[in-house]
Amino acid sequence: MRAEIQNTVAKIEKSVALLKQRLDWETAPHRLEEFNAMIEDPTLWDDPERAQKLMRERQMLMDAVGTAKSIEQDMKDNIELIEMGEMEEDQEVIAEAEAALMALTKTAAEKELEALLDGEADGNDTFLEINSGAGGTESCDWASMLARMYVRWAEKKGYKVELQSESAGEEAGIKSAAYKISGPNAYGWLKSESGVHRLVRISPFDSAAKRHTSFTSVKVYPVVDDNIEIEVNPSDIRIDTYRSSGAGGQHVNTTDSAVRITHFPTGIVVTSSEKSQHQNRDIAMKALKSRLYQMELDKRSALVNEAHENAGDAGWGNQIRSYVLQPYQMVKDLRTNFETSDTKGVLDGDLDGFMAATLALNVSGKSRADAQGE
């Protein structure tokens, strides 16, 4: 084989080796047997939340093992095709197999990154909060654009998206919105999006067609489960109910079912405005615990995941990413220097490149300054 293809094979083998290492390959079959035994327990579904969590963990392990085996087998098959093509001097077979190996390199690299999502809460579902910042109507419109971007990204991943609460802008867009996004590694991927996002464009609200800069903050918190205990002292919170309504105009029915929980020690405020007040209390309390857990993660993290650096107001100097639509097209992450001119694709949810770059940066232990220096 050509040296280039040998290097490609070496990259794939390295990715597979990391996948197996992260999976603890020797014990994986035994863990699958344990999962299979547990799901056969007739009392399993007496606790639906535990059962769903168990089924999800089993499926994630099965998918990871299957992925490693599939990549390894595809690599071997294509190597054999190349060797056979060389023996028979069939250049067409060789070219097809080499192209397949090159494509497999990208797939293996993506799965290698996913294997790095092994933080304590990376596999959990996540809450995503979007809040408009400096820029008035422009910022509210930008917040709605970001909300659409994340919903599109989640849908492409096959994740479930639930709108928890939303506050409309006075003229356009939204002041704020909160979502629960459910799916494998939802928090692990989205945690890199926490921070301030800056937009530069010709304003559709300015009759003079001038360029405007808008800011919106994004905050991401893992949904805590039964394995993560967070105690909330009842005397530390206040629970308020208030009238809520959905989109649709003045004829939409309203009820006093929305719930707001204020946590006095931290100043955290969470809301939920579903139809059921009981359901809202449960959702809001879970959101509060997730916020408190995220604060604890930030304290314990050696790298702090740049959370403190990104915790400033949604305005100049605090942004993690710039989206420039005028006078040129460019989206650039200021932590990793990853950039693309495909602004439409990004705003339609093509975010994996940005997330992967930030994940790789965090795993390498580099600071933002180091990355920008490089």
Side-chain angles (χ1 to χ4, degrees):
M1 290 187 294
R2 294 185 297 113
E4 181 183 359
I5 296 303
Q6 289 177 338
N7 290 336
T8 298
V9 170
K11 289 179 182 178
I12 297 172
E13 289 175 336
K14 182 179 179 182
S15 293
V16 171
L18 177 60
L19 277 169
K20 289 185 174 181
Q21 179 183 339
R22 294 280 173 176
L23 279 172
D24 193 0
W25 192 252
E26 298 300 322
T27 67
H30 304 293
R31 283 181 285 138
L32 272 177
E33 289 178 4
E34 291 175 359
F35 276 129
N36 291 334
M38 285 188 282
I39 66 172
E40 291 176 1
D41 183 350
T43 65
L44 174 65
W45 288 95
D46 291 347
D47 184 347
E49 286 192 12
R50 176 178 172 272
Q52 289 173 0
K53 183 175 184 293
L54 183 67
M55 295 295 286
R56 185 171 66 178
E57 289 178 351
R58 172 177 173 269
Q59 189 62 49
M60 288 174 65
L61 180 58
M62 288 177 62
D63 289 347
V65 170
T67 294
K69 288 182 176 179
S70 175
I71 292 173
E72 202 165 37
Q73 188 59 53
D74 286 349
M75 179 187 68
K76 291 178 180 177
D77 289 346
N78 282 292
I79 289 174
E80 289 178 4
L81 281 173
I82 290 174
E83 292 174 345
M84 184 171 29
E86 288 176 341
M87 289 176 60
E88 298 178 1
E89 297 184 354
D90 189 332
Q91 295 302 316
E92 185 176 348
V93 169
I94 294 172
E96 288 180 0
E98 288 183 348
L101 279 176
M102 296 297 288
L104 191 60
T105 305
K106 183 179 179 181
T107 300
E110 290 173 353
K111 297 303 179 181
E112 178 184 337
L113 272 174
E114 286 185 10
L116 297 175
L117 294 170
D118 61 352
E120 186 175 13
D122 281 353
N124 290 26
D125 299 337
T126 190
F127 289 111
L128 173 76
E129 293 184 3
I130 299 171
N131 293 280
S132 61
T137 300
E138 282 287 331
S139 181
C140 289
D141 190 51
W142 174 220
S144 68
M145 291 169 65
L146 281 177
R148 176 185 177 276
M149 179 181 78
Y150 288 118
V151 169
R152 293 294 299 274
W153 173 84
E155 289 173 346
K156 290 179 180 179
K157 284 282 188 182
Y159 291 167
K160 179 181 178 182
V161 180
E162 300 170 83
L163 179 64
Q164 303 291 299
S165 63
E166 184 177 277
S167 175
E170 294 179 3
E171 297 181 29
I174 57 174
K175 290 182 180 178
S176 64
Y179 295 89
K180 180 183 177 183
I181 299 177
S182 307
N185 294 321
Y187 173 69
W189 283 115
L190 278 168
K191 66 182 180 182
S192 65
E193 296 301 295
S194 282
V196 177
H197 297 246
R198 169 178 173 253
L199 173 70
V200 180
R201 65 171 176 174
I202 299 294
S203 171
F205 307 101
D206 186 344
S207 58
K210 292 183 179 179
R211 262 195 307 156
H212 285 248
T213 299
S214 310
F215 299 91
T216 290
S217 70
V218 174
K219 295 181 180 179
V220 180
Y221 314 101
V223 175
V224 294
D225 55 28
D226 293 338
N227 292 331
I228 303 173
E229 295 185 5
I230 301 293
E231 293 185 7
V232 177
N233 190 332
S235 64
D236 287 341
I237 62 175
R238 183 181 72 237
I239 301 178
D240 300 309
T241 59
Y242 60 97
R243 189 171 293 271
S244 66
S245 65
Q250 60 180 337
H251 302 295
V252 174
N253 293 329
T254 62
T255 61
D256 294 318
S257 64
V259 171
R260 178 190 298 114
I261 298 180
T262 303
H263 188 251
F264 299 122
T266 60
I268 291 174
V269 178
V270 293
T271 61
S272 180
S273 54
E274 297 292 326
K275 292 180 180 180
S276 163
Q277 189 175 117
H278 177 75
Q279 183 184 21
N280 285 332
R281 283 175 177 261
D282 182 57
I283 292 172
M285 185 58 72
K286 285 183 178 178
L288 173 61
K289 289 182 177 181
S290 294
R291 294 279 296 271
L292 294 173
Y293 178 66
Q294 180 66 45
M295 291 179 66
E296 182 62 25
L297 281 182
D298 290 344
K299 290 177 185 177
R300 285 154 44 183
S301 172
L303 302 174
V304 199
N305 199 27
E306 297 192 274
H308 298 299
E309 186 176 350
N310 298 333
D313 294 333
W316 286 103
N318 297 315
Q319 64 265 22
I320 61 165
R321 190 176 300 151
S322 287
Y323 304 71
V324 181
L325 306 185
Q326 292 287 343
Y328 54 88
Q329 302 276 312
M330 181 65 68
V331 181
K332 181 174 182 178
D333 196 290
L334 305 179
R335 298 163 297 180
T336 62
N337 285 333
F338 185 90
E339 63 183 42
T340 178
S341 59
D342 183 16
T343 56
K344 184 179 184 301
V346 171
L347 294 175
D348 277 339
D350 292 341
L351 297 169
D352 286 356
F354 289 97
M355 293 177 179
T358 306
L359 177 61
L361 174 67
N362 289 341
V363 169
S364 71
K366 295 177 183 175
S367 67
R368 181 190 294 195
D370 290 338
Q372 290 177 334
E374 292 178 0

